[in-house]
């Protein structure tokens, strides 16, 4: 019968010995909680950690002074752009006057040609001068507009052509002393940053050397392992303390290589500092010499403009009377405005060089005569 057999077909006696299949599973719960705290403090016996802290501080100061120098440089470039706009406007104004003179000559020659006084070749020469003057005027205007838009973008405004500037350059700038102290370049932020980089590289070199020495650390740990009820019971807590000593054995080659790299970086930083210092003195010396020579050039150009205006006026009067040729008028007109353009460019260069000199000196300065 079904009651005498199990599901596998074994007799009841074998089912008793082998056991019967059941869906019941016996389970039990065990809860265990751990609480631990570990500490480790390295003893800076050789000063390795301290040198790293010193290097970090020097690197921060170097970055700070580099940022200051970049701000200073950006301000200088903005000032140069401003005076470039003044120069461009003056060149455009000179080109417009030159075009006006060419238009007067062309109209005069057109009238003479219609009367049969001059040849077609002479009229064509005057027209050629007029077209060249017109082309030069448009180029000068385009350059001026481009610089104005660049300045508008620099001040974070829409690049239209509305920008107020002075019409002329400053009539005079402060005179320079004949003697300046040699340590005035120490005020330059980039030199200060270079010096801090050198100090940081020296500290990193010392740190790399001290990393070859054994390190000592104080270690300690405490904790407990039990159920929640007895977790804070002292009977279930454990603790330990001691001193760890680590010596570079397997990674000694890596540390030696790092030491060589740090030494090379220190030498590179030293060479960069010396090179930056010499370049600073060179910039100051060149700026002082150029500043004095530019003033002489300006005085000569102003005298040339007075002479050129007189020559052009005389030549044009003779041209109207038929005494001078059109070539004489063209040459006199070109000489006049070439000198005026050179004056505007020289004034802009003089101010740019003074800005460069201020940048080389690390800012403005005062002196007693």
């Amino acid at each position: 019968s079904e009651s005498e057999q199990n599901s596998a077909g074994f007799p009841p006696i074998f089912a008793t010995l082998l056991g019967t299949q059941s869906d019941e599973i016996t389970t039990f719960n065990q809860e265990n909680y751990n609480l631990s705290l570990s500490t480790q403090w390295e003893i800076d016996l050789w000063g390795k950690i301290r040198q790293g802290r010193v290097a970090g501080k020097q690197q921060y100061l170097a970055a700070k002074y580099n940022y200051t120098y970049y701000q200073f440089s950006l301000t200088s470039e903005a000032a140069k752009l401003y005076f470039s706009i003044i120069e461009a406007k003056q060149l455009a104004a000179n080109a417009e006057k030159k075009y006006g003179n060419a238009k007067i000559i062309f109209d005069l020659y057109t009238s003479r040609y219609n009367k049969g006084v001059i040849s077609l070749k002479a009229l064509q020469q005057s027209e050629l001068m007029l077209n060249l003057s017109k082309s030069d005027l448009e180029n000068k205007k385009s350059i001026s507009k481009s610089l104005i838009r660049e300045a508008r973008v620099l001040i974070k405004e829409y690049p239209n052509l509305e920008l107020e500037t002075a019409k002329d350059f400053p009539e005079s700038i402060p005179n320079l002393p004949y003697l300046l102290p040699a340590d005035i370049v120490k005020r330059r932020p980039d030199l200060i940053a270079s010096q801090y980089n050198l100090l940081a590289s020296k500290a990193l070199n010392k740190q790399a050397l001290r990393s070859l020495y054994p390190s000592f650390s104080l270690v300690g740990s405490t904790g407990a392992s039990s159920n929640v009820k007895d977790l804070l019971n002292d009977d279930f807590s454990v603790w330990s303390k001691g001193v760890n000593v680590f010596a570079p054995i397997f990674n000694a080659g890596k540390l030696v290589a790092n030491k060589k790299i740090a030494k090379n970086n220190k030498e590179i930083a030293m060479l960069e500092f010396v090179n930056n210092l010499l370049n600073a003195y060179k910039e100051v010396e060149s700026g002082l010499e150029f500043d004095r020579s530019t003033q002489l050039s300006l005085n000569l150009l102003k005298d040339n403009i007075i002479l050129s205006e007189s020559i052009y006026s005389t030549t044009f009067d003779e041209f109207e009377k038929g005494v001078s040729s059109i070539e004489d008028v063209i040459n006199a007109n070109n000489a006049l405005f070439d000198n005026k353009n050179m004056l505007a460019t020289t004034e802009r260069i003089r101010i740019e060089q003074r800005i460069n000199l201020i940048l080389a000196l690390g800012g403005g300065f005062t002196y007693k005569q």
Side-chain angles (χ1 to χ4, degrees):
S1 64
E2 294 181 358
S3 61
E4 294 178 350
Q5 295 181 353
N6 59 7
S7 59
F10 291 102
I13 186 172
F14 291 104
T16 303
L17 294 175
L18 298 176
T20 58
Q21 184 178 2
S22 175
D23 293 336
E24 296 181 358
I25 300 175
T26 303
T27 61
F28 64 92
N29 295 328
Q30 182 179 2
E31 296 180 354
N32 189 24
Y33 297 89
N34 295 319
L35 178 64
S36 62
L37 175 65
S38 299
T39 60
Q40 180 176 351
W41 179 61
E42 182 177 352
I43 303 174
D44 193 18
L45 184 62
W46 316 112
K48 178 180 66 175
I49 299 177
R50 182 173 61 85
Q51 292 299 328
R53 185 168 59 250
V54 170
K57 182 179 180 180
Q58 305 297 341
Q59 289 172 341
Y60 162 74
L61 292 174
K64 177 182 177 181
Y65 279 99
N66 273 327
Y67 177 72
T68 302
Y69 183 73
Y70 294 149
Q71 287 182 316
F72 195 11
S73 299
L74 181 60
T75 304
S76 301
E77 293 301 320
K80 292 178 184 178
L81 178 59
Y82 175 81
F83 289 108
S84 295
I85 294 174
I86 296 178
E87 177 202 13
K89 288 184 176 181
Q90 288 188 358
L91 294 179
N94 292 338
E96 190 169 1
K97 293 178 181 179
K98 185 178 180 180
Y99 171 74
N101 291 344
K103 185 70 168 57
I104 293 174
I105 296 174
F106 176 74
D107 293 340
L108 181 60
Y109 259 45
T110 301
S111 176
R112 290 183 179 181
Y113 176 76
N114 293 333
K115 295 178 181 180
V117 178
I118 61 173
S119 63
L120 177 62
K121 180 181 178 180
L123 178 64
Q124 290 175 341
Q125 287 180 337
S126 64
E127 185 178 4
L128 177 63
M129 183 180 68
L130 179 66
N131 293 336
L132 291 175
S133 301
K134 180 65 175 178
S135 176
D136 183 60
L137 173 60
E138 295 301 324
N139 289 334
K140 295 294 192 301
K141 287 182 177 180
S142 177
I143 294 174
S144 177
K145 293 177 181 179
S146 177
L147 291 174
I148 291 175
R149 289 192 176 96
E150 184 178 350
R152 296 280 299 184
V153 172
L154 184 62
I155 60 178
K156 306 301 181 184
E157 294 184 2
Y158 185 79
N160 54 28
L161 299 178
E162 297 178 0
L163 184 66
E164 294 184 2
T165 59
K167 294 182 179 180
D168 300 317
F169 290 97
E171 294 183 0
S172 62
I173 56 178
N175 294 325
L176 291 173
Y178 290 100
L179 295 176
L180 286 174
D183 60 348
I184 197 170
V185 295
K186 291 182 179 179
R187 304 182 307 162
R188 287 181 51 157
D190 59 329
L191 286 182
I192 299 175
S194 180
Q195 185 177 8
Y196 279 123
N197 279 329
L198 176 59
L199 296 176
S201 65
K202 289 182 177 180
L204 291 175
N205 182 53
K206 293 179 180 179
Q207 184 186 39
L209 175 62
R210 286 159 173 75
S211 64
L212 298 174
Y213 303 155
S215 60
F216 300 87
S217 300
L218 297 179
V219 296
S221 63
T222 182
S225 177
S226 179
N227 54 31
V228 177
K229 180 178 179 181
D230 299 325
L231 187 61
L232 300 178
N233 193 332
D234 293 340
D235 295 335
F236 296 93
S237 63
V238 293
W239 58 271
S240 66
K241 61 182 179 179
V243 178
N244 289 340
V245 180
F246 298 95
I249 298 177
F250 298 103
N251 63 339
K254 176 182 177 181
L255 297 178
V256 171
N258 290 337
K259 173 63 178 65
K260 293 180 180 179
I261 294 174
K263 182 179 179 181
N264 291 335
N265 290 336
K266 184 191 72 171
E267 294 177 354
I268 292 173
M270 173 62 75
L271 293 176
E272 288 181 349
F273 174 73
V274 173
N275 185 60
N276 292 337
L277 183 61
L278 293 176
N279 283 332
Y281 282 118
K282 181 197 70 174
E283 292 172 359
V284 172
E285 292 292 339
S286 300
L288 292 173
E289 181 180 1
F290 190 87
D291 192 89
R292 296 187 180 101
S293 62
T294 306
Q295 186 60 46
L296 177 61
S297 299
L298 285 175
N299 295 333
L300 294 175
L301 284 172
K302 290 177 181 179
D303 293 339
N304 287 344
I305 289 176
I306 296 175
L307 294 174
S308 299
E309 289 176 344
S310 177
I311 292 174
Y312 176 77
S313 178
T314 303
T315 305
F316 187 77
D317 290 340
E318 294 176 350
F319 173 73
E320 287 183 321
K321 297 176 182 179
V323 178
S324 298
S325 63
I326 187 173
E327 289 83 3
D328 296 334
V329 178
I330 293 175
N331 292 334
N333 187 56
N334 291 337
L336 172 60
F337 288 100
D338 285 346
N339 284 318
K340 287 187 175 182
N341 291 340
M342 288 178 61
L343 177 63
T345 301
T346 304
E347 286 183 335
R348 189 261 304 168
I349 293 176
R350 180 186 65 156
I351 293 180
E352 282 189 357
Q353 291 299 325
R354 176 58 68 89
I355 294 174
N356 291 335
L357 180 58
I358 293 175
L359 186 63
L361 294 172
F365 56 92
T366 58
Y367 64 95
K368 295 181 180 180
Q369 294 183 349

